[in-house]
Amino acid sequence: AKERGRNTFQFFAPSMNTLAVERMVIEKNMRKAMGGTEFQLYYQPKVCLQSGKIVGMEALLRWENPELGFVNPQKSIPIAEETRLIIQLGHWIIESACQQIKRLEQINPDISIAVNLSVVQFNSPDLVSEIKGVIEDTGIDPQKLQVEVTESILIQDSTLAINILKNLNNLGIKVCIDDFGTGYSSLSYLKNMPIDYLKIDQSFVRDLIDPTNETITCAVVALARSLGMKTIAEGVETAEQKKFLQTIDCDEGQGYLFSKPLQACQAEELLLKGTLF
Ligand code: C2E
Ligand code: CA
Ligand code: CA
Ligand code: CA
């Protein structure tokens, strides 16, 4: 039994170590990178599915570290959340996005930018005043700022969440529920919340050939419309997907078919073109 115990330990230990070490190395480098120039925001256009016009952009975090190379946000964001570094990083993201709004609105006065908010940021007591401060400092029209939050904020019990959403809404900021349909939120929440957009998760969009996903996508669009919200589909990669989304009157689309996420200057160039189909 002792023997087996030791073997079991040896079997599990190396992989656990590798993960723990990787995590520590990422955390160490992230702390060093704070306030520096390793982080960048990329921007992925959102297009109106009727006109083909670019109506907004989503800011997506990119991190290139001298030791680690490009670190995928799916890896870096959870560590930033656990260490709460996301609060400081998130502040920089909001600030940079608002500065980018000022640049983009010189090209198109109606353009908006969306930032992703982590649940950790969403639960920080200063979020609303922080965003308010950045809006005042940069002087942007708050209508041009969107926040994308996942359904998980709706699951947690939520007079707090409703209050934050109401306060953001009072500032004029637009709220988008990201990855809609993948969480377990009670739909009844939706009617009490000031939500402007539902973003249909790319897992449904990717396999629109699957009739179940087609049904879900249709249902989300219908639900949003009946609640006075708009819809955007993410992960649009093919002309067929675009066509289907157009026939069911989904408002906006985002995905590699239109454009991948771009560096700020490339995003500006694309916006000069204005239309993506
Ligand atoms: P998300 O918010 O759902 O973002 C969509 C992801 O899909 C992005 O990955 C984007 O590059 C990718 N994508 C866009 N179009 C397509 C497409 O047509 N096909 C496919 N297969 N993928 C597409 P990315 O940039 O790696 O970000 C992954 C996730 O990391 C995001 O998912 C978001 O949850 C998180 N994230 C990224 N940037 C930030 C940030 O600034 N703050 C926070 N809190 N989270 C972020
Ligand atoms: Ca998003
Ligand atoms: Ca998403
Ligand atoms: Ca996602």
Side-chain angles (χ1 to χ4, degrees):
K2 214 174 191 178
E3 201 68 41
R4 190 178 296 149
R6 198 196 281 144
N7 285 342
T8 310
F9 176 77
Q10 284 176 336
F11 183 77
F12 283 109
S15 59
M16 283 177 62
N17 269 335
T18 313
L19 273 182
V21 168
E22 184 189 34
R23 195 199 161 287
M24 272 171 52
V25 172
I26 292 177
E27 179 181 341
K28 184 196 75 186
N29 280 295
M30 194 181 284
R31 286 189 191 279
K32 264 202 294 193
M34 284 290 150
T37 55
E38 291 177 28
F39 293 106
Q40 256 194 297
L41 287 183
Y42 274 47
Y43 294 92
Q44 185 178 37
K46 299 180 173 187
V47 306
C48 168
L49 287 172
Q50 293 311 313
S51 67
K53 284 201 184 102
I54 300 173
V55 292
M57 306 243 174
E58 177 181 6
L60 292 159
L61 185 69
R62 295 293 177 264
W63 176 27
E64 189 177 12
N65 177 262
E67 183 178 342
L68 301 167
F70 276 101
V71 186
N72 190 317
Q74 257 128 336
K75 216 169 226 176
S76 63
I77 297 285
I79 294 173
E81 289 176 334
E82 283 168 46
T83 54
R84 301 191 65 81
L85 288 170
I86 192 71
I87 302 286
Q88 191 188 339
L89 192 56
H91 185 86
W92 174 83
I93 291 168
I94 294 164
E95 216 167 30
S96 307
C98 289
Q99 281 157 1
Q100 187 65 10
I101 288 174
K102 303 215 57 150
R103 298 172 61 93
L104 294 185
E105 70 188 3
Q106 295 176 344
I107 305 171
N108 174 345
D110 301 319
I111 202 84
S112 64
I113 288 186
V115 294
N116 290 283
L117 285 187
S118 138
V119 194
V120 175
Q121 281 170 284
F122 198 81
N123 286 336
S124 107
D126 300 329
L127 178 72
V128 176
S129 59
E130 185 188 330
I131 294 182
K132 191 161 179 263
V134 175
I135 288 173
E136 284 165 2
D137 291 347
T138 54
I140 60 146
D141 174 0
Q143 307 276 348
K144 292 180 183 166
L145 181 64
Q146 266 189 38
V147 294
E148 297 192 5
V149 288
T150 58
E151 278 174 282
S152 51
I153 63 138
L154 310 182
I155 303 164
Q156 327 169 312
D157 162 48
S158 251
T159 34
L160 185 69
I162 297 181
N163 274 329
I164 295 174
L165 290 177
K166 284 191 176 146
N167 287 331
L168 292 174
N169 182 61
N170 286 340
L171 289 178
I173 293 164
K174 301 275 181 280
V175 175
C176 173
I177 302 297
D178 206 349
D179 304 340
F180 189 78
T182 60
Y184 300 92
S185 63
S186 150
L187 293 179
S188 65
Y189 270 126
L190 289 178
K191 67 177 194 295
N192 303 320
M193 297 220 178
I195 293 164
D196 301 283
Y197 279 89
L198 299 182
K199 187 183 262 196
I200 304 164
D201 189 67
Q202 58 187 61
S203 60
F204 304 121
V205 177
R206 192 180 305 135
D207 294 316
L208 277 174
I209 305 158
D210 177 346
T212 314
N213 286 335
E214 210 178 278
T215 307
I216 291 171
T217 301
C218 271
V220 173
V221 171
L223 175 71
R225 183 166 311 125
S226 73
L227 292 168
M229 300 168 186
K230 289 185 148 191
T231 44
I232 173 162
E234 68 177 1
V236 182
E237 293 182 350
T238 69
E240 289 71 39
Q241 292 164 347
K242 177 185 117 197
K243 195 155 184 221
F244 173 76
L245 293 163
Q246 285 171 323
T247 59
I248 64 167
D249 279 332
C250 179
D251 298 293
E252 295 171 17
Q254 202 182 4
Y256 297 161
L257 177 68
F258 309 117
S259 168
K260 60 182 201 244
L262 303 169
Q263 277 185 309
C265 56
Q266 291 177 301
E268 286 159 35
E269 266 169 45
L270 194 65
L271 188 59
L272 280 169
K273 247 178 68 180
T275 308
L276 292 184
F277 61 84

